[in-house]
């Protein structure tokens, strides 16, 4: 995967809505603030899965979903 900025493309994530993706039956993060957003939580709380959901939305795949059904990854 390349960074979108490498291609002169910038994306700003304002909302994230996920249904049936990996561990999330449903997740909504709305009205995210401008700038850098940190995600914190306990181990196995789903922090990486949020990043995977963003990557899947942008690229249609992720390292973990490659070759698997995203609902089962």
């Amino acid at each position: 995967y390349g960074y979108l900025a490498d291609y002169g493309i910038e994306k700003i994530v304002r909302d994230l809505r996920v249904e049936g993706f990996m561990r999330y039956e449903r997740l909504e993060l709305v009205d995210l603030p401008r700038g850098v957003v940190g995600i914190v939580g306990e181990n196995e709380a789903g922090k990486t899965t949020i990043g995977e959901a963003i990557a899947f939305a942008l690229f249609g795949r992720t390292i973990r979903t490659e070759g698997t059904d995203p609902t089962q990854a």
Side-chain angles (χ1 to χ4, degrees):
Y1 303 109
Y3 290 102
L4 293 176
D6 292 343
Y7 303 100
I9 301 170
E10 295 181 19
K11 297 288 181 193
I12 298 172
V13 177
R14 303 230 188 258
D15 299 311
L16 179 65
R17 290 179 177 86
V18 175
E19 289 188 25
F21 186 81
M22 295 184 179
R23 69 172 33 238
Y24 290 107
E25 183 176 315
R26 182 178 175 91
L27 171 70
E28 286 192 24
L29 302 174
V30 296
D31 297 324
L32 295 171
R34 290 182 176 262
V36 177
V37 174
I39 301 172
V40 297
E42 298 292 323
N43 289 345
E44 298 294 319
K47 300 176 300 291
T48 300
T49 303
I50 292 172
E52 294 276 339
I54 293 169
F56 190 81
L58 292 173
F59 303 110
R61 62 186 180 156
T62 71
I63 298 294
R64 290 195 326 192
T65 62
E66 188 117 344
T68 64
D69 179 353
T71 63
Q72 303 301 315

Short mmCIF file of all heavy atoms in Angstrom, two decimals:
data_model
loop_
_atom_site.label_atom_id
_atom_site.label_comp_id
_atom_site.label_asym_id
_atom_site.label_seq_id
_atom_site.Cartn_x
_atom_site.Cartn_y
_atom_site.Cartn_z
N TYR A 1 0.84 -1.18 0.00
CA TYR A 1 0.00 0.00 0.00
C TYR A 1 0.88 1.24 0.00
O TYR A 1 1.87 1.29 0.71
CB TYR A 1 -0.88 0.04 1.24
CG TYR A 1 -1.75 -1.16 1.41
CD1 TYR A 1 -1.50 -2.08 2.38
CD2 TYR A 1 -2.82 -1.37 0.56
CE1 TYR A 1 -2.30 -3.18 2.54
CE2 TYR A 1 -3.62 -2.46 0.70
CZ TYR A 1 -3.36 -3.36 1.69
OH TYR A 1 -4.16 -4.46 1.84
N GLY A 2 0.51 2.22 -0.77
CA GLY A 2 1.20 3.50 -0.73
C GLY A 2 0.38 4.49 0.04
O GLY A 2 -0.80 4.30 0.29
N TYR A 3 1.03 5.52 0.48
CA TYR A 3 0.30 6.58 1.15
C TYR A 3 -0.39 7.44 0.10
O TYR A 3 0.17 7.73 -0.94
CB TYR A 3 1.25 7.44 1.98
CG TYR A 3 1.78 6.72 3.18
CD1 TYR A 3 3.06 6.18 3.18
CD2 TYR A 3 0.98 6.54 4.29
CE1 TYR A 3 3.54 5.50 4.27
CE2 TYR A 3 1.46 5.85 5.39
CZ TYR A 3 2.74 5.34 5.37
OH TYR A 3 3.21 4.66 6.46
N LEU A 4 -1.63 7.81 0.38
CA LEU A 4 -2.38 8.63 -0.58
C LEU A 4 -1.68 9.95 -0.83
O LEU A 4 -1.71 10.47 -1.94
CB LEU A 4 -3.80 8.88 -0.06
CG LEU A 4 -4.70 7.64 0.00
CD1 LEU A 4 -6.04 8.00 0.62
CD2 LEU A 4 -4.88 7.03 -1.36
N ALA A 5 -1.02 10.50 0.19
CA ALA A 5 -0.31 11.77 0.03
C ALA A 5 0.81 11.65 -0.99
O ALA A 5 1.17 12.63 -1.65
CB ALA A 5 0.23 12.26 1.37
N ASP A 6 1.36 10.44 -1.17
CA ASP A 6 2.40 10.23 -2.17
C ASP A 6 1.89 10.50 -3.58
O ASP A 6 2.65 10.75 -4.49
CB ASP A 6 2.95 8.80 -2.11
CG ASP A 6 3.72 8.52 -0.83
OD1 ASP A 6 4.11 9.49 -0.14
OD2 ASP A 6 3.93 7.34 -0.51
N TYR A 7 0.58 10.41 -3.75
CA TYR A 7 -0.03 10.61 -5.05
C TYR A 7 -0.74 11.95 -5.15
O TYR A 7 -1.53 12.18 -6.06
CB TYR A 7 -1.03 9.48 -5.34
CG TYR A 7 -0.38 8.12 -5.27
CD1 TYR A 7 -0.52 7.32 -4.15
CD2 TYR A 7 0.39 7.65 -6.32
CE1 TYR A 7 0.10 6.07 -4.07
CE2 TYR A 7 1.01 6.41 -6.26
CZ TYR A 7 0.85 5.63 -5.13
OH TYR A 7 1.46 4.41 -5.06
N GLY A 8 -0.47 12.84 -4.20
CA GLY A 8 -1.11 14.16 -4.21
C GLY A 8 -2.56 14.12 -3.78
O GLY A 8 -3.32 15.01 -4.07
N ILE A 9 -2.95 13.05 -3.07
CA ILE A 9 -4.32 12.90 -2.61
C ILE A 9 -4.32 12.97 -1.09
O ILE A 9 -3.55 12.30 -0.43
CB ILE A 9 -4.89 11.53 -3.04
CG1 ILE A 9 -4.87 11.41 -4.56
CG2 ILE A 9 -6.30 11.35 -2.50
CD1 ILE A 9 -5.19 10.02 -5.06
N GLU A 10 -5.19 13.80 -0.56
CA GLU A 10 -5.33 13.88 0.88
C GLU A 10 -6.76 13.54 1.25
O GLU A 10 -7.70 13.94 0.56
CB GLU A 10 -5.00 15.28 1.37
CG GLU A 10 -3.55 15.65 1.16
CD GLU A 10 -3.22 17.03 1.68
OE1 GLU A 10 -3.98 17.57 2.50
OE2 GLU A 10 -2.21 17.58 1.25
N LYS A 11 -6.94 12.78 2.30
CA LYS A 11 -8.26 12.40 2.78
C LYS A 11 -8.39 12.80 4.23
O LYS A 11 -7.45 12.66 5.00
CB LYS A 11 -8.49 10.90 2.65
CG LYS A 11 -8.48 10.40 1.23
CD LYS A 11 -9.71 10.85 0.52
CE LYS A 11 -9.70 10.32 -0.90
NZ LYS A 11 -10.69 10.94 -1.72
N ILE A 12 -9.56 13.27 4.59
CA ILE A 12 -9.86 13.59 5.98
C ILE A 12 -11.05 12.73 6.38
O ILE A 12 -12.11 12.78 5.74
CB ILE A 12 -10.20 15.08 6.15
CG1 ILE A 12 -8.98 15.92 5.76
CG2 ILE A 12 -10.64 15.36 7.58
CD1 ILE A 12 -9.26 17.40 5.71
N VAL A 13 -10.89 11.93 7.41
CA VAL A 13 -11.96 11.08 7.89
C VAL A 13 -12.77 11.89 8.90
O VAL A 13 -12.25 12.30 9.93
CB VAL A 13 -11.41 9.79 8.54
CG1 VAL A 13 -12.54 8.95 9.11
CG2 VAL A 13 -10.59 9.00 7.54
N ARG A 14 -14.02 12.12 8.58
CA ARG A 14 -14.91 12.87 9.48
C ARG A 14 -15.84 11.93 10.25
O ARG A 14 -16.19 12.20 11.38
CB ARG A 14 -15.74 13.86 8.68
CG ARG A 14 -14.92 14.82 7.89
CD ARG A 14 -15.37 16.23 8.13
NE ARG A 14 -14.70 17.13 7.20
CZ ARG A 14 -13.68 17.89 7.54
NH1 ARG A 14 -13.21 17.85 8.75
NH2 ARG A 14 -13.12 18.67 6.66
N ASP A 15 -16.26 10.86 9.60
CA ASP A 15 -17.15 9.88 10.21
C ASP A 15 -16.70 8.49 9.79
O ASP A 15 -16.13 8.32 8.72
CB ASP A 15 -18.59 10.05 9.71
CG ASP A 15 -19.18 11.41 10.04
OD1 ASP A 15 -19.10 11.83 11.20
OD2 ASP A 15 -19.74 12.03 9.13
N LEU A 16 -16.97 7.53 10.65
CA LEU A 16 -16.69 6.14 10.33
C LEU A 16 -17.89 5.32 10.77
O LEU A 16 -18.26 5.34 11.94
CB LEU A 16 -15.42 5.66 11.04
CG LEU A 16 -15.04 4.20 10.81
CD1 LEU A 16 -14.68 3.97 9.35
CD2 LEU A 16 -13.89 3.80 11.71
N ARG A 17 -18.51 4.67 9.81
CA ARG A 17 -19.64 3.78 10.09
C ARG A 17 -19.29 2.39 9.56
O ARG A 17 -18.99 2.24 8.39
CB ARG A 17 -20.90 4.32 9.43
CG ARG A 17 -21.39 5.58 10.07
CD ARG A 17 -22.63 6.12 9.37
NE ARG A 17 -23.14 7.30 10.04
CZ ARG A 17 -22.72 8.53 9.81
NH1 ARG A 17 -21.78 8.75 8.92
NH2 ARG A 17 -23.23 9.55 10.46
N VAL A 18 -19.35 1.42 10.44
CA VAL A 18 -18.95 0.05 10.11
C VAL A 18 -20.08 -0.89 10.49
O VAL A 18 -20.65 -0.77 11.57
CB VAL A 18 -17.67 -0.33 10.88
CG1 VAL A 18 -17.30 -1.76 10.66
CG2 VAL A 18 -16.52 0.60 10.52
N GLU A 19 -20.38 -1.83 9.60
CA GLU A 19 -21.35 -2.88 9.90
C GLU A 19 -20.78 -4.22 9.44
O GLU A 19 -20.37 -4.37 8.29
CB GLU A 19 -22.68 -2.62 9.19
CG GLU A 19 -23.43 -1.45 9.76
CD GLU A 19 -24.83 -1.32 9.18
OE1 GLU A 19 -25.38 -2.34 8.73
OE2 GLU A 19 -25.34 -0.20 9.19
N GLY A 20 -20.74 -5.18 10.36
CA GLY A 20 -20.30 -6.53 10.03
C GLY A 20 -18.86 -6.61 9.56
O GLY A 20 -18.55 -7.41 8.69
N PHE A 21 -17.98 -5.84 10.16
CA PHE A 21 -16.57 -5.86 9.77
C PHE A 21 -15.75 -6.38 10.94
O PHE A 21 -15.73 -5.78 12.01
CB PHE A 21 -16.10 -4.46 9.38
CG PHE A 21 -14.69 -4.43 8.84
CD1 PHE A 21 -14.44 -4.76 7.53
CD2 PHE A 21 -13.63 -4.09 9.66
CE1 PHE A 21 -13.15 -4.74 7.02
CE2 PHE A 21 -12.33 -4.06 9.17
CZ PHE A 21 -12.10 -4.39 7.84
N MET A 22 -15.10 -7.51 10.72
CA MET A 22 -14.27 -8.16 11.73
C MET A 22 -15.05 -8.29 13.04
O MET A 22 -16.11 -8.87 13.07
CB MET A 22 -12.94 -7.44 11.88
CG MET A 22 -12.08 -7.51 10.65
SD MET A 22 -10.48 -6.74 10.93
CE MET A 22 -9.74 -6.99 9.36
N ARG A 23 -14.56 -7.71 14.11
CA ARG A 23 -15.19 -7.88 15.42
C ARG A 23 -16.40 -6.98 15.63
O ARG A 23 -17.11 -7.13 16.61
CB ARG A 23 -14.18 -7.66 16.54
CG ARG A 23 -13.73 -6.23 16.68
CD ARG A 23 -12.86 -5.91 17.90
NE ARG A 23 -12.01 -6.97 18.31
CZ ARG A 23 -12.04 -7.53 19.53
NH1 ARG A 23 -12.86 -7.10 20.44
NH2 ARG A 23 -11.23 -8.51 19.83
N TYR A 24 -16.62 -6.03 14.73
CA TYR A 24 -17.70 -5.06 14.93
C TYR A 24 -18.97 -5.46 14.19
O TYR A 24 -18.98 -5.53 12.97
CB TYR A 24 -17.28 -3.66 14.47
CG TYR A 24 -16.24 -3.04 15.35
CD1 TYR A 24 -14.94 -2.92 14.92
CD2 TYR A 24 -16.57 -2.60 16.62
CE1 TYR A 24 -13.97 -2.36 15.74
CE2 TYR A 24 -15.61 -2.04 17.45
CZ TYR A 24 -14.31 -1.92 17.01
OH TYR A 24 -13.36 -1.38 17.81
N GLU A 25 -20.04 -5.70 14.95
CA GLU A 25 -21.34 -5.88 14.31
C GLU A 25 -21.80 -4.51 13.79
O GLU A 25 -22.32 -4.41 12.70
CB GLU A 25 -22.34 -6.42 15.32
CG GLU A 25 -23.70 -6.71 14.73
CD GLU A 25 -24.62 -7.34 15.74
OE1 GLU A 25 -24.20 -8.26 16.45
OE2 GLU A 25 -25.78 -6.90 15.81
N ARG A 26 -21.58 -3.49 14.61
CA ARG A 26 -21.92 -2.12 14.21
C ARG A 26 -21.05 -1.15 15.02
O ARG A 26 -20.88 -1.31 16.22
CB ARG A 26 -23.39 -1.85 14.48
CG ARG A 26 -23.85 -0.48 14.06
CD ARG A 26 -25.37 -0.35 14.33
NE ARG A 26 -25.82 0.99 14.06
CZ ARG A 26 -26.27 1.40 12.88
NH1 ARG A 26 -26.32 0.57 11.88
NH2 ARG A 26 -26.67 2.63 12.72
N LEU A 27 -20.50 -0.14 14.35
CA LEU A 27 -19.68 0.88 14.99
C LEU A 27 -19.93 2.20 14.28
O LEU A 27 -19.93 2.26 13.05
CB LEU A 27 -18.19 0.52 14.89
CG LEU A 27 -17.21 1.59 15.33
CD1 LEU A 27 -17.27 1.80 16.84
CD2 LEU A 27 -15.79 1.23 14.90
N GLU A 28 -20.14 3.25 15.04
CA GLU A 28 -20.29 4.59 14.46
C GLU A 28 -19.42 5.57 15.24
O GLU A 28 -19.59 5.73 16.44
CB GLU A 28 -21.75 5.05 14.52
CG GLU A 28 -22.63 4.36 13.53
CD GLU A 28 -24.00 5.01 13.38
OE1 GLU A 28 -24.13 6.21 13.68
OE2 GLU A 28 -24.92 4.30 12.97
N LEU A 29 -18.50 6.19 14.55
CA LEU A 29 -17.70 7.27 15.10
C LEU A 29 -18.04 8.49 14.24
O LEU A 29 -17.68 8.54 13.08
CB LEU A 29 -16.21 6.96 15.03
CG LEU A 29 -15.75 5.68 15.74
CD1 LEU A 29 -14.28 5.43 15.47
CD2 LEU A 29 -16.02 5.78 17.23
N VAL A 30 -18.75 9.44 14.80
CA VAL A 30 -19.22 10.58 14.01
C VAL A 30 -18.66 11.88 14.58
O VAL A 30 -18.29 11.96 15.74
CB VAL A 30 -20.76 10.64 13.95
CG1 VAL A 30 -21.31 9.42 13.23
CG2 VAL A 30 -21.37 10.72 15.33
N ASP A 31 -18.61 12.86 13.70
CA ASP A 31 -18.10 14.20 14.06
C ASP A 31 -16.71 14.14 14.68
O ASP A 31 -16.45 14.74 15.72
CB ASP A 31 -19.07 14.92 15.02
CG ASP A 31 -20.42 15.17 14.38
OD1 ASP A 31 -20.45 15.45 13.17
OD2 ASP A 31 -21.44 15.09 15.09
N LEU A 32 -15.81 13.40 14.04
CA LEU A 32 -14.43 13.33 14.54
C LEU A 32 -13.80 14.71 14.44
O LEU A 32 -14.05 15.46 13.50
CB LEU A 32 -13.63 12.31 13.72
CG LEU A 32 -14.10 10.86 13.85
CD1 LEU A 32 -13.40 9.99 12.83
CD2 LEU A 32 -13.85 10.36 15.25
N PRO A 33 -12.98 15.07 15.42
CA PRO A 33 -12.37 16.41 15.41
C PRO A 33 -11.31 16.52 14.31
O PRO A 33 -10.77 15.52 13.83
CB PRO A 33 -11.73 16.51 16.80
CG PRO A 33 -11.49 15.10 17.21
CD PRO A 33 -12.57 14.29 16.58
N ARG A 34 -11.02 17.73 13.92
CA ARG A 34 -9.94 17.97 12.95
C ARG A 34 -8.61 17.67 13.61
O ARG A 34 -8.47 17.76 14.82
CB ARG A 34 -9.96 19.43 12.49
CG ARG A 34 -11.13 19.75 11.63
CD ARG A 34 -11.03 21.21 11.17
NE ARG A 34 -12.10 21.50 10.26
CZ ARG A 34 -11.98 21.49 8.95
NH1 ARG A 34 -10.83 21.21 8.39
NH2 ARG A 34 -13.02 21.77 8.18
N GLY A 35 -7.64 17.31 12.81
CA GLY A 35 -6.30 17.05 13.32
C GLY A 35 -6.11 15.58 13.62
O GLY A 35 -6.83 14.71 13.15
N VAL A 36 -5.13 15.30 14.44
CA VAL A 36 -4.76 13.93 14.77
C VAL A 36 -5.73 13.40 15.82
O VAL A 36 -6.05 14.07 16.80
CB VAL A 36 -3.32 13.87 15.32
CG1 VAL A 36 -2.96 12.47 15.75
CG2 VAL A 36 -2.36 14.39 14.28
N VAL A 37 -6.18 12.17 15.62
CA VAL A 37 -7.08 11.51 16.56
C VAL A 37 -6.37 10.27 17.08
O VAL A 37 -5.90 9.44 16.30
CB VAL A 37 -8.41 11.10 15.87
CG1 VAL A 37 -9.28 10.30 16.82
CG2 VAL A 37 -9.14 12.33 15.37
N GLY A 38 -6.26 10.15 18.38
CA GLY A 38 -5.66 8.98 18.99
C GLY A 38 -6.73 7.99 19.42
O GLY A 38 -7.81 8.40 19.87
N ILE A 39 -6.44 6.71 19.27
CA ILE A 39 -7.37 5.66 19.70
C ILE A 39 -6.67 4.87 20.79
O ILE A 39 -5.62 4.29 20.55
CB ILE A 39 -7.76 4.76 18.52
CG1 ILE A 39 -8.41 5.59 17.42
CG2 ILE A 39 -8.69 3.65 18.99
CD1 ILE A 39 -8.66 4.84 16.14
N VAL A 40 -7.24 4.85 21.97
CA VAL A 40 -6.63 4.15 23.10
C VAL A 40 -7.62 3.14 23.66
O VAL A 40 -8.83 3.29 23.53
CB VAL A 40 -6.19 5.14 24.21
CG1 VAL A 40 -5.12 6.07 23.71
CG2 VAL A 40 -7.36 5.93 24.75
N GLY A 41 -7.09 2.10 24.28
CA GLY A 41 -7.94 1.09 24.90
C GLY A 41 -7.12 -0.11 25.32
O GLY A 41 -5.93 -0.20 25.03
N GLU A 42 -7.79 -1.01 25.96
CA GLU A 42 -7.15 -2.25 26.43
C GLU A 42 -6.75 -3.11 25.24
O GLU A 42 -7.24 -2.93 24.13
CB GLU A 42 -8.12 -3.03 27.32
CG GLU A 42 -8.54 -2.30 28.58
CD GLU A 42 -7.39 -2.14 29.56
OE1 GLU A 42 -6.57 -3.08 29.67
OE2 GLU A 42 -7.32 -1.08 30.20
N ASN A 43 -5.88 -4.09 25.50
CA ASN A 43 -5.53 -5.08 24.47
C ASN A 43 -6.80 -5.79 24.01
O ASN A 43 -7.68 -6.08 24.82
CB ASN A 43 -4.54 -6.10 25.02
CG ASN A 43 -3.18 -5.50 25.23
OD1 ASN A 43 -2.87 -4.42 24.74
ND2 ASN A 43 -2.34 -6.22 25.97
N GLU A 44 -6.85 -6.09 22.72
CA GLU A 44 -7.98 -6.80 22.12
C GLU A 44 -9.30 -6.03 22.19
O GLU A 44 -10.37 -6.61 22.12
CB GLU A 44 -8.16 -8.18 22.76
CG GLU A 44 -6.98 -9.10 22.57
CD GLU A 44 -6.75 -9.48 21.12
OE1 GLU A 44 -7.73 -9.73 20.41
OE2 GLU A 44 -5.59 -9.51 20.69
N ALA A 45 -9.23 -4.69 22.33
CA ALA A 45 -10.44 -3.87 22.41
C ALA A 45 -10.95 -3.46 21.03
O ALA A 45 -12.06 -2.94 20.93
CB ALA A 45 -10.18 -2.63 23.26
N GLY A 46 -10.14 -3.67 19.98
CA GLY A 46 -10.58 -3.34 18.62
C GLY A 46 -9.94 -2.10 18.02
O GLY A 46 -10.40 -1.60 16.99
N LYS A 47 -8.88 -1.59 18.63
CA LYS A 47 -8.21 -0.39 18.11
C LYS A 47 -7.65 -0.63 16.70
O LYS A 47 -7.88 0.17 15.80
CB LYS A 47 -7.07 0.04 19.04
CG LYS A 47 -7.51 0.37 20.45
CD LYS A 47 -6.34 0.70 21.36
CE LYS A 47 -5.34 -0.41 21.49
NZ LYS A 47 -5.76 -1.60 22.22
N THR A 48 -6.96 -1.72 16.51
CA THR A 48 -6.39 -2.03 15.20
C THR A 48 -7.48 -2.26 14.17
O THR A 48 -7.36 -1.86 13.01
CB THR A 48 -5.47 -3.26 15.29
OG1 THR A 48 -4.42 -2.98 16.23
CG2 THR A 48 -4.88 -3.61 13.94
N THR A 49 -8.59 -2.84 14.59
CA THR A 49 -9.70 -3.09 13.68
C THR A 49 -10.27 -1.79 13.14
O THR A 49 -10.71 -1.73 11.99
CB THR A 49 -10.79 -3.93 14.38
OG1 THR A 49 -10.18 -5.14 14.85
CG2 THR A 49 -11.92 -4.26 13.44
N ILE A 50 -10.27 -0.73 13.93
CA ILE A 50 -10.73 0.57 13.45
C ILE A 50 -9.82 1.04 12.31
O ILE A 50 -10.28 1.49 11.27
CB ILE A 50 -10.80 1.60 14.59
CG1 ILE A 50 -11.91 1.21 15.56
CG2 ILE A 50 -11.02 3.01 14.04
CD1 ILE A 50 -11.95 2.03 16.82
N GLY A 51 -8.51 0.90 12.49
CA GLY A 51 -7.56 1.24 11.43
C GLY A 51 -7.76 0.38 10.20
O GLY A 51 -7.70 0.85 9.06
N GLU A 52 -8.03 -0.92 10.41
CA GLU A 52 -8.29 -1.83 9.30
C GLU A 52 -9.55 -1.41 8.55
O GLU A 52 -9.61 -1.50 7.32
CB GLU A 52 -8.45 -3.27 9.82
CG GLU A 52 -7.20 -3.85 10.42
CD GLU A 52 -6.26 -4.44 9.39
OE1 GLU A 52 -6.70 -4.76 8.29
OE2 GLU A 52 -5.07 -4.56 9.71
N ALA A 53 -10.57 -0.96 9.27
CA ALA A 53 -11.81 -0.52 8.62
C ALA A 53 -11.57 0.70 7.74
O ALA A 53 -12.10 0.80 6.63
CB ALA A 53 -12.88 -0.22 9.67
N ILE A 54 -10.74 1.62 8.23
CA ILE A 54 -10.40 2.81 7.43
C ILE A 54 -9.62 2.39 6.18
O ILE A 54 -9.92 2.84 5.07
CB ILE A 54 -9.62 3.83 8.27
CG1 ILE A 54 -10.53 4.40 9.37
CG2 ILE A 54 -9.07 4.95 7.39
CD1 ILE A 54 -9.81 5.21 10.41
N ALA A 55 -8.65 1.50 6.34
CA ALA A 55 -7.87 1.02 5.19
C ALA A 55 -8.77 0.30 4.19
O ALA A 55 -8.64 0.48 2.98
CB ALA A 55 -6.74 0.10 5.66
N PHE A 56 -9.72 -0.50 4.69
CA PHE A 56 -10.63 -1.21 3.81
C PHE A 56 -11.51 -0.24 3.03
O PHE A 56 -11.76 -0.42 1.84
CB PHE A 56 -11.49 -2.19 4.61
CG PHE A 56 -12.27 -3.13 3.77
CD1 PHE A 56 -11.68 -4.27 3.25
CD2 PHE A 56 -13.60 -2.89 3.49
CE1 PHE A 56 -12.39 -5.14 2.47
CE2 PHE A 56 -14.33 -3.76 2.70
CZ PHE A 56 -13.73 -4.89 2.18
N ALA A 57 -11.96 0.83 3.70
CA ALA A 57 -12.78 1.84 3.02
C ALA A 57 -11.99 2.55 1.93
O ALA A 57 -12.53 2.85 0.86
CB ALA A 57 -13.31 2.85 4.03
N LEU A 58 -10.72 2.80 2.17
CA LEU A 58 -9.90 3.54 1.19
C LEU A 58 -9.39 2.66 0.07
O LEU A 58 -9.33 3.08 -1.09
CB LEU A 58 -8.71 4.20 1.90
CG LEU A 58 -9.05 5.33 2.86
CD1 LEU A 58 -7.81 5.76 3.61
CD2 LEU A 58 -9.67 6.50 2.12
N PHE A 59 -8.99 1.41 0.39
CA PHE A 59 -8.30 0.57 -0.58
C PHE A 59 -9.07 -0.69 -0.98
O PHE A 59 -8.65 -1.42 -1.88
CB PHE A 59 -6.93 0.14 -0.05
CG PHE A 59 -6.05 1.29 0.33
CD1 PHE A 59 -5.77 1.55 1.65
CD2 PHE A 59 -5.52 2.12 -0.64
CE1 PHE A 59 -4.96 2.62 2.01
CE2 PHE A 59 -4.72 3.19 -0.30
CZ PHE A 59 -4.44 3.44 1.03
N GLY A 60 -10.17 -1.00 -0.28
CA GLY A 60 -10.94 -2.20 -0.59
C GLY A 60 -10.34 -3.48 -0.06
O GLY A 60 -10.83 -4.57 -0.34
N ARG A 61 -9.27 -3.37 0.70
CA ARG A 61 -8.63 -4.54 1.30
C ARG A 61 -7.68 -4.07 2.39
O ARG A 61 -7.36 -2.89 2.49
CB ARG A 61 -7.85 -5.33 0.26
CG ARG A 61 -6.74 -4.53 -0.35
CD ARG A 61 -6.05 -5.25 -1.47
NE ARG A 61 -5.00 -4.39 -1.99
CZ ARG A 61 -3.95 -4.82 -2.61
NH1 ARG A 61 -3.77 -6.10 -2.79
NH2 ARG A 61 -3.06 -3.99 -3.06
N THR A 62 -7.25 -5.00 3.20
CA THR A 62 -6.25 -4.72 4.23
C THR A 62 -5.32 -5.93 4.30
O THR A 62 -5.60 -6.96 3.69
CB THR A 62 -6.88 -4.50 5.62
OG1 THR A 62 -7.37 -5.73 6.11
CG2 THR A 62 -7.97 -3.46 5.59
N ILE A 63 -4.28 -5.83 5.05
CA ILE A 63 -3.36 -6.96 5.22
C ILE A 63 -4.11 -8.15 5.81
O ILE A 63 -3.97 -9.27 5.36
CB ILE A 63 -2.17 -6.57 6.12
CG1 ILE A 63 -1.36 -5.45 5.51
CG2 ILE A 63 -1.31 -7.79 6.43
CD1 ILE A 63 -0.65 -5.80 4.23
N ARG A 64 -4.93 -7.91 6.83
CA ARG A 64 -5.63 -9.01 7.49
C ARG A 64 -6.80 -9.54 6.68
O ARG A 64 -7.18 -10.70 6.83
CB ARG A 64 -6.12 -8.58 8.88
CG ARG A 64 -4.98 -8.41 9.84
CD ARG A 64 -5.38 -8.34 11.28
NE ARG A 64 -6.64 -7.70 11.58
CZ ARG A 64 -7.01 -7.36 12.79
NH1 ARG A 64 -6.22 -7.59 13.81
NH2 ARG A 64 -8.17 -6.78 13.00
N THR A 65 -7.43 -8.71 5.85
CA THR A 65 -8.59 -9.19 5.08
C THR A 65 -8.20 -9.77 3.74
O THR A 65 -9.03 -10.36 3.07
CB THR A 65 -9.62 -8.07 4.85
OG1 THR A 65 -9.03 -7.03 4.07
CG2 THR A 65 -10.16 -7.53 6.15
N GLU A 66 -6.96 -9.59 3.33
CA GLU A 66 -6.52 -10.13 2.04
C GLU A 66 -6.72 -11.64 2.03
O GLU A 66 -6.19 -12.36 2.84
CB GLU A 66 -5.05 -9.80 1.82
CG GLU A 66 -4.59 -10.14 0.45
CD GLU A 66 -4.15 -8.92 -0.33
OE1 GLU A 66 -4.46 -7.81 0.06
OE2 GLU A 66 -3.48 -9.13 -1.34
N GLY A 67 -7.53 -12.12 1.12
CA GLY A 67 -7.75 -13.55 0.98
C GLY A 67 -8.74 -14.15 1.95
O GLY A 67 -8.91 -15.35 2.01
N THR A 68 -9.40 -13.28 2.76
CA THR A 68 -10.41 -13.79 3.69
C THR A 68 -11.65 -12.91 3.59
O THR A 68 -11.61 -11.81 3.03
CB THR A 68 -9.92 -13.76 5.15
OG1 THR A 68 -9.70 -12.41 5.54
CG2 THR A 68 -8.67 -14.56 5.35
N ASP A 69 -12.72 -13.38 4.15
CA ASP A 69 -13.95 -12.61 4.24
C ASP A 69 -13.78 -11.61 5.38
O ASP A 69 -13.50 -12.02 6.51
CB ASP A 69 -15.11 -13.57 4.52
CG ASP A 69 -16.44 -12.87 4.67
OD1 ASP A 69 -16.49 -11.64 4.69
OD2 ASP A 69 -17.45 -13.60 4.76
N PRO A 70 -13.93 -10.30 5.14
CA PRO A 70 -13.72 -9.29 6.19
C PRO A 70 -14.61 -9.49 7.42
O PRO A 70 -14.26 -9.06 8.49
CB PRO A 70 -14.03 -7.96 5.51
CG PRO A 70 -13.99 -8.21 4.07
CD PRO A 70 -14.25 -9.67 3.87
N THR A 71 -15.75 -10.15 7.25
CA THR A 71 -16.61 -10.37 8.41
C THR A 71 -16.07 -11.48 9.30
O THR A 71 -16.46 -11.59 10.45
CB THR A 71 -18.05 -10.73 7.99
OG1 THR A 71 -18.04 -11.96 7.26
CG2 THR A 71 -18.67 -9.62 7.15
N GLN A 72 -15.13 -12.27 8.76
CA GLN A 72 -14.58 -13.40 9.52
C GLN A 72 -13.13 -13.19 9.94
O GLN A 72 -12.59 -14.02 10.65
CB GLN A 72 -14.66 -14.68 8.68
CG GLN A 72 -16.06 -15.01 8.21
CD GLN A 72 -17.02 -15.19 9.36
OE1 GLN A 72 -16.71 -15.85 10.34
NE2 GLN A 72 -18.19 -14.60 9.25
N ALA A 73 -12.49 -12.13 9.50
CA ALA A 73 -11.06 -11.92 9.78
C ALA A 73 -10.79 -11.71 11.25
O ALA A 73 -11.61 -11.34 12.00
CB ALA A 73 -10.54 -10.73 8.98
#
